[in-house]
Amino acid sequence: MKEDEKKLTESLEKYLLAIYDISKYNSNIIVKDVAKYLGIGGASTAAAIRTLAKKGLINYVPYGNISLTKVGFNTVQLKIYRHNTISNFLNQVLEIEKTSADKNASAIEYSMTEDVLIKFVHFLDFMKQCSCKEPKWLNSCKHSLVDGRISEKCMNCVSGCGGCKGCCQK
């Protein structure tokens, strides 16, 4: 299968995530369950299910049960990981309310190309796991978000005063 044929649209990812969510409490998933879960018509759901099966993400035969393949399960896990990483950054670092952070994390994920998304999530994950103390610029950024302006200390760095212990190197 070609790379662009493997790529999932936002819509198909929602179906895949729905199957994953439903499978947590129901092992005999049928198209009707997915349609009901998403509040979408049966015909649209059946078409999406067939597409997911063609992509090798689910096991499905018409009028039969639906289950995730190993590839489908791994795809869902990656999707959830990426979403949570971005959402947590928005919520914990930028202090955006959780519901808004979740909504915006989804928008961010779908607005980026795959290569940019991979690097962005890697950066956020690295920053979260890094054993270094929180970088000075992060605290300064949080301060400017609250105060609405860059602190005087940062302004000195920006202007290249040389008085901030080497961070103004020209």
Side-chain angles (χ1 to χ4, degrees):
M1 188 176 288
K2 294 178 185 173
E3 192 63 34
D4 58 331
E5 292 173 353
K6 290 181 189 178
K7 187 159 172 58
L8 291 179
T9 63
E10 182 176 358
S11 175
L12 286 175
E13 279 190 4
K14 286 180 182 177
Y15 285 100
L16 194 62
L17 288 166
I19 293 165
Y20 172 76
D21 286 345
I22 296 166
S23 72
K24 291 178 190 174
Y25 62 86
N26 181 0
S27 60
N28 297 314
I29 304 168
I30 59 174
V31 171
K32 187 176 184 179
D33 298 327
V34 179
K36 182 178 178 185
Y37 182 89
L38 292 172
I40 297 174
S44 298
T45 302
I49 296 297
R50 286 191 299 274
T51 301
L52 290 172
K54 285 179 188 173
K55 291 179 178 288
L57 299 170
I58 62 170
N59 298 306
Y60 171 70
V61 292
Y63 306 104
N65 289 333
I66 303 165
S67 64
L68 292 171
T69 63
K70 184 174 175 105
V71 173
F73 180 80
N74 291 340
T75 300
V76 167
Q77 293 301 302
L78 179 60
K79 165 71 178 145
I80 291 169
Y81 174 77
R82 287 175 172 178
H83 179 84
N84 288 342
T85 300
I86 295 168
S87 181
N88 288 338
F89 168 77
L90 295 173
N91 177 250
Q92 295 167 3
V93 177
L94 299 183
E95 299 177 351
I96 295 170
E97 187 269 324
K98 184 71 175 140
T99 304
S100 181
D102 278 335
K103 181 180 177 184
N104 282 282
S106 293
I108 289 168
E109 292 169 72
Y110 294 115
S111 67
M112 294 182 177
T113 59
E114 183 71 10
D115 59 327
V116 173
L117 180 61
I118 288 168
K119 289 180 180 182
F120 182 62
V121 171
H122 176 81
F123 172 77
L124 296 178
D125 192 46
F126 174 82
M127 292 301 294
K128 182 179 174 187
Q129 294 182 30
C130 183
S131 63
C132 299
K133 291 186 178 184
E134 189 173 82
K136 292 188 308 181
W137 58 265
L138 187 55
N139 281 332
S140 296
C141 179
K142 285 182 179 180
H143 176 269
S144 71
L145 284 170
V146 171
D147 199 39
R149 60 185 176 85
I150 295 176
S151 71
E152 189 171 325
K153 180 176 145 185
C154 288
M155 287 302 291
N156 289 336
C157 289
V158 171
S159 65
C161 68
C164 49
K165 300 178 183 172
C167 63
C168 299
Q169 297 173 359
K170 289 188 177 187

